Amino acid sequence: MNRPDYDKLMQAEIGALKGCRPRLLLHSCCAPCSSACLERLKDSFKVTVFYYNPNIEAGEYEVRKAEQLRLLEETGWADALDGDHESREFYRIAEGLEDAPEGGARCMKCYRLRLERTAAEAKRLGYEYFATTLTISPQKSAAALNAIGGELEREYGIKWLHTDFKKRGGYLRSCELARELRLYRQDYCGCEFSRRARTCND
């Protein structure tokens, strides 16, 4: 069975808006990833960036959050909503999966943790859509992320915007914008397990 083209689904959804700009809560992992996503979304949606990443180590978390806020302040592309760090929630879902490979079961649980909180916030605050920047990464499965988002749409009654932001040169554009805007660009996912894997592979 052919896998859906999530980028085309996004474009079709945007085309059906016919000039309306609904509110979208966009989960973001960092400023560089959000930059290219926002460039695509800002004219079609009233976007609020939701920075909720309990997986990221404390010091790294604060650096990324500061850069995220700086990007939004300097560009005016979206409003900001800051989630709590809640690292205990990440370690709760990661228990027993500490040695799982990158992209494996631990990551799937982490994706769901962050997207479910985004869906809950979108419902609480009356947003029409929710989405994530995570699909811009070549290291992350757009199919898995969109499957989780679709499940949460049914559970919370908030429309999930299907995306594959890496398509049409999205990841390369995020790298360009990071350079142009002098954004801090990390070299690992953010959790201590991905840092350890990076170190072992150096």
Side-chain angles (χ1 to χ4, degrees):
M1 186 173 69
N2 291 332
R3 181 173 294 175
D5 187 323
Y6 299 108
D7 181 57
K8 285 186 178 178
L9 289 175
M10 180 190 76
Q11 293 180 66
E13 188 74 23
I14 288 173
L17 297 177
K18 300 188 183 301
C20 295
R21 291 181 70 227
R23 298 174 70 213
L24 182 148
L25 190 62
L26 178 68
H27 165 263
S28 175
C29 55
C30 64
C33 287
S34 70
S35 64
C37 302
L38 287 169
E39 193 175 55
R40 289 187 180 178
L41 296 173
K42 63 184 175 61
D43 294 329
S44 301
F45 297 92
K46 298 171 187 173
V47 184
T48 298
V49 168
F50 182 42
Y51 185 78
Y52 176 69
N53 298 290
N55 58 309
I56 299 176
E57 297 178 284
E60 180 74 11
Y61 176 91
E62 293 301 330
V63 171
R64 294 192 200 187
K65 182 170 82 169
E67 283 294 89
Q68 181 71 81
L69 294 174
R70 180 171 74 85
L71 171 67
L72 300 181
E73 289 167 3
E74 291 183 1
T75 63
W77 286 346
D79 294 327
L81 179 62
D82 185 15
D84 297 327
H85 191 194
E86 295 183 337
S87 59
R88 66 187 180 280
E89 289 299 307
F90 170 69
Y91 285 106
R92 177 183 61 79
I93 61 97
E95 187 174 359
L97 298 169
E98 293 85 354
D99 296 323
E102 285 298 293
R106 185 185 66 247
C107 293
M108 294 302 117
K109 287 197 169 189
C110 182
Y111 299 160
R112 186 174 183 91
L113 172 66
R114 290 186 279 173
L115 292 186
E116 183 159 16
R117 175 65 186 277
T118 305
E121 287 297 298
K123 184 176 182 68
R124 183 178 71 84
L125 297 170
Y127 283 80
E128 286 88 0
Y129 288 84
F130 73 108
T132 182
T133 65
L134 291 172
T135 65
I136 203 167
S137 170
Q139 307 302 319
K140 293 179 172 58
S141 168
L145 289 160
N146 281 289
I148 293 167
E151 292 171 6
L152 293 170
E153 175 183 313
R154 293 186 289 275
E155 185 174 341
Y156 284 86
I158 302 293
K159 292 187 78 171
W160 165 254
L161 183 67
H162 290 89
T163 66
D164 191 350
F165 285 118
K166 71 178 71 65
K167 293 287 188 73
R168 291 182 286 141
Y171 175 71
L172 292 177
R173 180 58 179 156
S174 74
C175 295
E176 290 172 358
L177 285 168
R179 288 192 296 270
E180 291 172 13
L181 300 169
R182 306 175 314 282
L183 297 173
Y184 163 71
R185 191 175 189 92
Q186 63 282 350
D187 61 358
Y188 73 111
C189 175
C191 75
E192 68 169 281
F193 309 113
S194 63
R195 174 174 51 77
R196 289 178 196 168
R198 177 203 63 181
T199 302
C200 291
N201 292 327
D202 285 348

